[in-house]
Amino acid sequence: MKIHLTGMRRSSYWVLVLFLFIKPIYGQQMDHKAKNPIIFADVPDLSMLRVGDTYYMSSTTMHMNPGLPLMKSKDLVNWEMIGYGHNTLADMDELNLDQNQNTYGRGSWASSLRYHQGTYYVSTFAQTTGKTYIYSTQDIEKGPWDRKEFKPALHDHSLFFEGDKIYMIWGGGKINIVELLPDLSGIKPETQRVLIENATLPTTPEGAKGGLQAEGSQLFKVNEKYYLFNISWPPGGMRSVIVHRADKIDGPYEGRVVLQDKGVAQGGLIDMPNGAWYAYLFQDYGAVGRIPYLVPVTWKEDWPVLGVDGKVPEILDLPASKGLIPYIVNSDDFDRKAGEPALPLIWQWNHNPVAALWSVSENKGNLRLKTGRIDQHFLQARNTLTQRTFGPTCEGETAIDISAMKDGDFAGLSLLQQNYGLLGVRMEGGQHVLVNSNVKTGIEEELAHIPLHQQKVYLKVKCDFTNKRDIATFFYSLNGKNWESIGTEFKMTYTIPHFMGYRFGLFNYATKTVGGFVDFDYFHIRP
């Protein structure tokens, strides 16, 4: 068959041919580019630095231990866990989940990561203890770490080295600066002063009620000028990035709004060896938590210009992500070889763990969680082992041997937040019962109650964070092959009291008699 085309029809035909030829190539090119968010998981309060061709990042995990996670990357997109700043902040009731106390939503907050004269520094603060902490090492991946702590807790501070002086800049609304002692053990007396009286003014008129005052300070020096990054949330508006600029560290500072788009805000600047600049920021994204973004930066008249035409781009001129598995989250068969750590870095305990009540060696190839006291509800139970959920969809699966449970014990798979979801086995009068329950309004509600007549059961939960759908569905299996849904769809809700994205958790606690235990055969995580 011949096709005869003339005039406009011929032109349209070749445009169509060209489009059909180019589209697959263009699509392939886009598939090889990074996309925002660069990490679709809860990695908030970012602080980044570059040493040579390697990037390092610290973040917030508050009530989790070990805490203050540290990561590295070669391309700003693919990040790998390399360690933690601390194993614990303190031995106290709130951090140990003792005496019905806890520190959900508190613990250690926004950190500041620096490199100065061959030494790495990461500092944080904790409302729980009322202290500021500074950890330092010459080897950020292997340590050892030196620890200094002092009062008070300097909120959302930025550690900054200038010649032979060491500063911290911190505050909310009113931004302060103070000098530290040379050994980092405390504040130099009478050095505190106000740096910016009202850092919120670029987004919010004086006297306006509501919103979030400027906080999240991060200070940078570029071409002999000082740039202070803050976030604010004006009443009726969105999370915004504010930058103040000065010729001297003491000011005076002039400020402007540099980004208002999609609520992507709070962070700072990072440069690449090729001269490119980015801002690292994050976005509140419902139940999965606060997720990191990269925004390209150009410079105009010595001001950083964020975004593309003021917008956060979806596609970045950086290598594509290889996925979060195995470097940020990962499956675990609990089968340890000689010399390997008991737990990989992807795991964190909810609050301080009790070392005597868990093991990966007592029954090799299994995580054993033992009960050591009576607890009446999940959020007060010790030794819940967690790792992040991630988007847009993910699932976690485990198998649990329940043969050594005691009456009143409850063990299984959880989604941890204030409004939590549980699928586990409860021992009731000598009978194992499969239970699905969740919390929506502060009270745990039982949705399913199925008698079990075997010693091992398989549990799974699927999470859907697509477009903030925030729905989880639980499943169980008696053989690991055939799965049945249980209960109803669970609506996950991000709450400020916990201030953290949902986490997978493996748990076991006693409500009547201590001394029982369960063995988790594996935990498998997948998109």
Side-chain angles (χ1 to χ4, degrees):
M1 179 178 69
K2 294 183 179 179
I3 300 176
H4 298 279
L5 299 172
T6 59
M8 187 63 71
R9 290 180 62 195
R10 181 182 291 115
S11 174
S12 299
Y13 170 77
W14 287 113
V15 168
L16 177 61
V17 170
L18 188 62
F19 173 77
L20 293 174
F21 176 75
I22 290 177
K23 184 180 179 183
I25 298 175
Y26 179 79
Q28 291 171 8
Q29 289 175 339
M30 292 303 100
D31 288 341
H32 290 87
K33 298 285 188 179
K35 297 178 181 179
N36 271 318
I38 57 166
I39 300 176
F40 206 145
D42 193 50
V43 184
D45 302 333
L46 321 177
S47 183
M48 283 189 195
L49 61 82
R50 177 176 63 85
V51 178
D53 64 351
T54 304
Y55 306 93
Y56 298 97
M57 175 168 66
S58 63
S59 179
T60 292
T61 49
M62 294 176 291
H63 47 275
M64 297 294 168
N65 276 301
L68 214 175
L70 302 169
M71 290 155 267
K72 76 172 182 179
S73 173
K74 288 292 188 178
D75 58 14
L76 282 177
V77 175
N78 293 283
W79 293 89
E80 174 186 358
M81 287 291 308
I82 58 171
Y84 291 92
H86 63 76
N87 288 318
T88 183
L89 289 171
D91 182 7
M92 57 191 296
D93 288 347
E94 290 89 341
L95 290 164
N96 295 334
L97 290 172
D98 280 337
Q99 306 299 322
N100 207 35
Q101 301 294 306
N102 62 65
T103 193
Y104 287 110
R106 298 188 297 276
S108 60
W109 276 17
S111 56
S112 181
L113 184 60
R114 299 297 189 194
Y115 180 75
H116 180 66
Q117 295 181 352
T119 299
Y120 296 88
Y121 300 85
V122 58
S123 59
T124 186
F125 71 102
Q127 292 178 325
T128 311
T129 62
K131 293 181 178 180
T132 297
Y133 300 83
I134 304 177
Y135 305 90
S136 59
T137 183
Q138 292 185 325
D139 189 335
I140 193 171
E141 296 191 43
K142 298 179 181 178
W145 290 87
D146 180 64
R147 167 173 165 155
K148 298 291 175 66
E149 58 185 69
F150 57 85
K151 290 188 174 182
L154 301 183
H155 178 84
D156 280 11
H157 64 250
S158 182
L159 182 64
F160 194 82
F161 293 87
E162 178 83 330
D164 60 354
K165 293 185 177 181
I166 311 168
Y167 297 95
M168 274 192 172
I169 296 90
W170 86 100
K174 180 185 291 186
I175 305 300
N176 303 281
I177 186 170
V178 72
E179 291 182 39
L180 301 184
L181 296 171
D183 65 355
L184 304 173
S185 62
I187 293 172
K188 276 189 178 182
E190 301 179 358
T191 60
Q192 180 177 338
R193 53 201 183 276
V194 176
L195 197 64
I196 303 173
E197 186 66 39
N198 185 351
T200 317
L201 276 178
T203 63
T204 309
E206 190 80 58
K209 303 295 183 182
L212 174 71
Q213 291 188 320
E215 61 176 23
S217 294
Q218 295 198 34
L219 183 66
F220 305 89
K221 188 176 183 180
V222 181
N223 295 331
E224 301 305 313
K225 290 186 182 291
Y226 299 84
Y227 297 90
L228 179 65
F229 275 63
N230 290 105
I231 175 184
S232 82
W233 197 332
M238 69 173 67
R239 289 160 44 90
S240 308
V241 182
I242 297 173
V243 170
H244 283 83
R245 184 186 72 176
D247 293 323
K248 298 180 180 179
I249 192 168
D250 287 320
Y253 283 84
E254 56 176 328
R256 62 172 59 174
V257 177
V258 296
L259 185 67
Q260 281 182 324
D261 185 42
K262 301 179 181 178
V264 174
Q266 191 164 340
L269 290 170
I270 190 76
D271 70 326
M272 303 183 73
N274 65 6
W277 287 82
Y278 285 88
Y280 54 86
L281 307 164
F282 66 84
Q283 180 190 50
D284 291 359
Y285 200 85
V288 76
R290 297 178 287 170
I291 58 179
Y293 277 69
L294 285 175
V295 177
V297 173
T298 54
W299 293 88
K300 185 176 181 180
E301 298 176 353
D302 292 328
W303 283 98
V305 179
L306 273 61
V308 178
D309 296 327
K311 301 296 182 182
V312 176
E314 177 186 359
I315 306 298
L316 299 165
D317 190 19
L318 292 169
S321 171
K322 299 174 183 177
L324 304 187
I325 300 172
Y327 301 115
I328 302 295
V329 298
N330 200 17
S331 297
D332 193 347
D333 289 328
F334 303 115
D335 188 8
R336 303 290 178 256
K337 298 177 182 178
E340 288 184 333
L343 290 174
L345 294 172
I346 46 91
W347 289 112
Q348 287 178 284
W349 297 98
N350 179 23
H351 290 65
N352 289 339
V354 182
L357 298 180
W358 71 274
S359 172
V360 290
S361 60
E362 290 185 18
N363 183 7
K364 290 187 177 181
N366 291 267
L367 168 70
R368 177 164 291 179
L369 294 182
K370 298 178 277 189
T371 64
R373 73 173 187 194
I374 303 300
D375 287 303
Q376 295 307 317
H377 61 88
F378 168 67
L379 291 182
Q380 207 59 34
R382 294 180 295 186
N383 281 20
T384 296
L385 186 61
T386 82
Q387 60 174 293
R388 295 171 178 86
T389 59
F390 61 97
T393 61
C394 63
E395 64 179 55
E397 176 191 326
T398 190
I400 179 173
D401 185 322
I402 56 179
S403 57
M405 296 178 76
K406 290 186 177 296
D407 194 43
D409 288 0
F410 189 22
L413 177 64
S414 65
L415 285 175
L416 173 61
Q417 233 275 358
Q418 182 184 41
N419 295 331
Y420 56 83
L422 306 176
L423 176 59
V425 178
R426 182 178 290 136
M427 189 73 162
E428 297 179 350
Q431 172 68 54
H432 292 112
V433 179
L434 185 66
V435 174
N436 175 225
S437 60
N438 63 42
V439 171
K440 294 181 180 178
T441 58
I443 300 175
E444 185 175 328
E445 178 185 2
E446 190 173 290
L447 304 172
H449 191 275
I450 303 173
L452 287 174
H453 303 286
Q454 59 189 62
Q455 302 302 307
K456 188 172 186 177
V457 66
Y458 301 81
L459 312 174
K460 182 190 294 185
V461 62
K462 296 184 178 183
C463 302
D464 185 357
F465 301 108
T466 307
N467 297 323
K468 300 184 183 179
R469 186 166 182 261
D470 296 347
I471 293 293
T473 309
F474 287 92
F475 301 83
Y476 75 97
S477 173
L478 301 180
N479 57 16
K481 298 177 182 178
N482 303 313
W483 293 88
E484 297 285 342
S485 63
I486 185 170
T488 59
E489 285 189 339
F490 171 48
K491 177 65 175 177
M492 296 177 285
T493 308
Y494 188 95
T495 69
I496 294 300
H498 275 214
F499 214 4
M500 184 176 289
Y502 274 80
R503 282 183 165 245
F504 296 114
L506 305 178
F507 72 93
N508 180 31
Y509 66 95
T511 64
K512 295 181 180 179
T513 306
V514 300
F517 64 84
V518 294
D519 286 335
F520 292 91
D521 185 13
Y522 62 83
F523 177 76
H524 290 167
I525 193 169
R526 58 183 74 92

